[in-house]
Structure formats: structure tokens, C-alpha cells
Amino acid sequence: SSASVAGASAEQLGGEAYIREVMPFLYDLQRLPLLALVKMDHTLYEYGYHSLCTYRWKVQTVFDGWEAGNFKSTVMTKASDCKGKDWEGLHYVALAIMALGLVSAALIVRKLMRVAKAIARLRALPEAWDRLTSSDIASLFSPWWGLTLVMHIAQVCSCCACLKDEPDIGTRFQGVGLSCFLTWLNISQYFESFPGLYKAFHTLGMSFGGVLRFLLSVWPLFYGFVLLGVCLFWQSPIFASPAKSAASLFSLLNGDMIHDTFEEVYFINGIVGHLYLYVFLMLFIFVILNVNISIVTDAYERSKKHPQREHLRILRRASAEGLSREEA
């Protein structure tokens, strides 16, 4: 059986009167034993400032009675924007963002085509092509181009979601949030011309390969501790599954809930729990974490020797030597 609620509200009729109005069969003793499914659909409107409709909520309450004597209730909600007159300006903004994104994506594709043509010309010259290394060819491309294309795809998708008649709030917020994050991240590429402002990304790029290889080498050891924690302390909610155990150990590495974890494992397995945590923390904090930091530090020291910085240093040194010669 299904009941669709419209018109009179629960506040107007009162709780029981509202139920009698929309679902009279619940009070029919002859039909009640035959009842298997009850659905109630509600449409609610949320108003913001200036008495404008902001969100439209669709709430569906389901009472599943297929199991005799046992009704299982579920509530499903979906929120969408009302899209009043104030949305007309936002539609123009979304269309403008889509147009600019498509133009920028076309320019990136044009750059890729030019690089492809340049590589084809180099291949036609065997002497020049044989002298090139893979790093030389990779230097023709910029990793920011790929990020820019992903950013524009996210922008176009989020704008399309906003232009729907009834855009889902969750989908719209996720799309807008992702496109904003990628846009702000993409702005960082323009700091590349200023070595002092680009130091973080330069360090990250130089240390990424070493850090990734090192983390892959220690991953089996970390996962071994994860599985051992599940087997020793499965009664604890923080070690109830491999995912929860990995999250707990990662939190311990960052200094979170250390004392609580020591008490938790001691209550379950006594001194064995403390021994497990001591070995894990000393190994990963005193050894593995410090090795990882040293890899990043070494990359930071190398990032100080940025090509533009070296060029400036050479110019300053040359100018200083020139002035000293003139004075002599």
C-alpha cells in the first residue's frame, strides 16, 4: 500500500489525526494484517532570508512489513535548489565559466599538438633524435597541462549540474568544491617564474619519486603491524578491521590518541599490547619517519639550486667582478 501526502500538514491536523487522514487503512483491523508496505512521500520547502525558497526537500518514509510482525522503517531524503529569480544571474555565471573553460582546454590541446609536431620533426632527424634522452623529451611537456585539463573538465561538469532544473544539493556542492580546489591549485603554476614562491612545489616534485619508493618499501612492514593488531586486539573497536587498524596506527604516528590506545590494548592483552605499541612507535617514528624527512630535506637543499637562482647568482658574481676590476 502507498500513501502520498499532500495538502493538510501534520501541524494542522495533529499527529494521530494526520496519520488517520493520510493512512486510514492502519486503523482498519481487517486490512491491517494484509499490510506489507507503507510509503509516505513529503515535499518540504526551506525558506531563507527575504522569504525566498532556498531548498526543496523530498522525504520518503518507508515501512517494510514483508516479515510478519516486524516492520522495518527507512527514511530517504533528497534536497534540491528551488531556483527562483535570483538564480538567473548564476546561470549566466555558469555559462561564462563553461565557455572560458572550453577555450582554455582548447589552448592546452593546441599546445600538445605543437609539441607532438616538434617531436615528429626531431624523429625525422636521426642524429638529433639519438642524442635526446627521455628526460629531454619529457621536458617538452608540463605536468600542469594535465592538471589544467582535469580542472576544466570538473568545471564544465559542475556547471552542467548547476544548470539542471532541479540540481541535487550534494552533487552541486561536491562538483563546485572540487572545481574550486583544482582552480586554486592550478594558480600555483604561475609561481614557477618566482623561485622563492615556488619552493614548496619544486621540493615536492624533486622528492616525490624518492618518497614514493621509500613508502612502497616499508608498506609490507606497516601492513604486517596492521594485521597483527587486528589479530591481537580484535575486541577493540579501533582494531576491529584492517581499515580501522591502519587508521589507528596512522593516527599514532601523528601523535593522536596515544595514551588512550595504550590503555585500550593493555586492557585487552596486558603487557603484550604495550610491547606491540612500543615496537611499532620506535621503529616507525625514530627510524622510518626520520628517513622520510631526510629524503625531503635533501630535495629541499637541491631545490635551492633552482636554474633561475643559479642564473641570478652568476649575474651577480659577474657584475661584482666587473665592478672590482673597474675599481682596480
Side-chain angles (χ1 to χ4, degrees):
S1 178
S2 176
S4 179
V5 180
S9 63
E11 294 181 356
Q12 295 172 342
L13 297 175
E16 186 176 354
Y18 176 72
I19 297 296
R20 285 182 178 273
E21 176 73 18
V22 298
M23 293 184 292
F25 47 82
L26 292 179
Y27 297 87
D28 189 343
L29 297 180
Q30 294 182 352
R31 298 176 59 189
L32 186 61
L34 303 176
L35 189 64
L37 187 68
V38 178
K39 289 184 179 179
M40 295 187 296
D41 297 320
H42 301 76
T43 301
L44 308 175
Y45 295 91
E46 181 179 344
Y47 290 89
Y49 298 105
H50 309 295
S51 300
L52 295 175
C53 176
T54 307
Y55 300 126
R56 182 189 297 108
W57 291 84
K58 292 184 178 180
V59 183
Q60 185 182 72
T61 307
V62 180
F63 297 94
D64 188 355
W66 286 100
E67 297 182 8
N70 184 19
F71 274 84
K72 296 181 180 179
S73 61
T74 56
V75 178
M76 293 172 286
T77 61
K78 181 180 180 181
S80 59
D81 294 289
C82 290
K83 280 202 165 184
K85 294 182 178 180
D86 55 328
W87 271 78
E88 294 179 359
L90 297 177
H91 286 167
Y92 292 122
V93 173
L95 291 173
I97 292 174
M98 288 181 63
L100 293 174
L102 292 174
V103 171
S104 180
L107 293 176
I108 296 296
V109 173
R110 184 183 178 187
K111 290 181 181 179
L112 293 173
M113 292 177 64
R114 285 184 174 181
V115 172
K117 290 181 180 179
I119 293 175
R121 291 174 182 173
L122 289 173
R123 282 187 173 180
L125 302 173
E127 296 180 358
W129 180 257
D130 293 338
R131 286 197 296 262
L132 293 177
T133 62
S134 57
S135 59
D136 294 330
I137 299 174
S139 63
L140 297 175
F141 299 90
S142 173
W144 292 107
W145 296 351
L147 178 64
T148 303
L149 288 176
V150 174
M151 176 193 69
H152 291 317
I153 292 173
Q155 289 174 343
V156 171
C157 292
S158 62
C159 290
C160 291
C162 294
L163 291 173
K164 289 182 178 179
D165 294 334
E166 293 186 3
D168 181 70
I169 293 177
T171 303
R172 181 169 67 85
F173 281 180
Q174 291 172 4
V176 172
L178 178 61
S179 61
C180 288
F181 167 75
L182 293 175
T183 301
W184 282 98
L185 181 61
N186 193 54
I187 291 175
S188 303
Q189 67 175 301
Y190 301 107
F191 294 152
E192 192 171 4
S193 301
F194 306 94
L197 299 177
Y198 198 70
K199 193 176 297 183
F201 287 94
H202 196 198
T203 303
L204 182 62
M206 298 181 70
S207 63
F208 180 77
V211 170
L212 182 61
R213 287 190 295 270
F214 181 71
L215 292 179
L216 289 176
S217 67
V218 300
W219 169 252
L221 181 61
F222 177 78
Y223 200 68
F225 275 97
V226 168
L227 297 179
L228 181 60
V230 173
C231 295
L232 292 177
F233 317 111
W234 57 270
Q235 301 95 326
S236 172
I238 61 177
F239 288 97
S241 66
K244 292 181 178 179
S245 178
S248 300
L249 294 180
F250 185 78
S251 300
L252 289 172
L253 286 177
N254 290 277
D256 188 22
M257 66 180 194
I258 293 179
H259 187 265
D260 294 339
T261 306
F262 268 90
E263 291 186 346
E264 183 84 12
V265 298
Y266 185 80
F267 179 76
I268 296 174
N269 236 335
I271 194 64
V272 176
H274 278 189
L275 183 63
Y276 167 82
L277 291 181
Y278 279 126
V279 173
F280 173 78
L281 292 175
M282 285 190 294
L283 181 62
F284 273 82
I285 292 180
F286 298 155
V287 180
I288 294 176
L289 188 59
N290 283 302
V291 172
N292 193 30
I293 292 174
S294 67
I295 295 174
V296 178
T297 304
D298 181 63
Y300 174 74
E301 293 297 330
R302 286 185 285 121
S303 70
K304 291 181 179 180
K305 300 179 181 179
H306 193 278
Q308 294 183 6
R309 286 181 177 271
E310 292 297 315
H311 182 64
L312 290 175
R313 288 173 185 170
I314 293 172
L315 289 178
R316 290 172 183 172
R317 189 179 304 167
S319 61
E321 291 178 356
L323 289 175
S324 62
R325 289 176 181 174
E326 290 179 358
E327 291 177 356

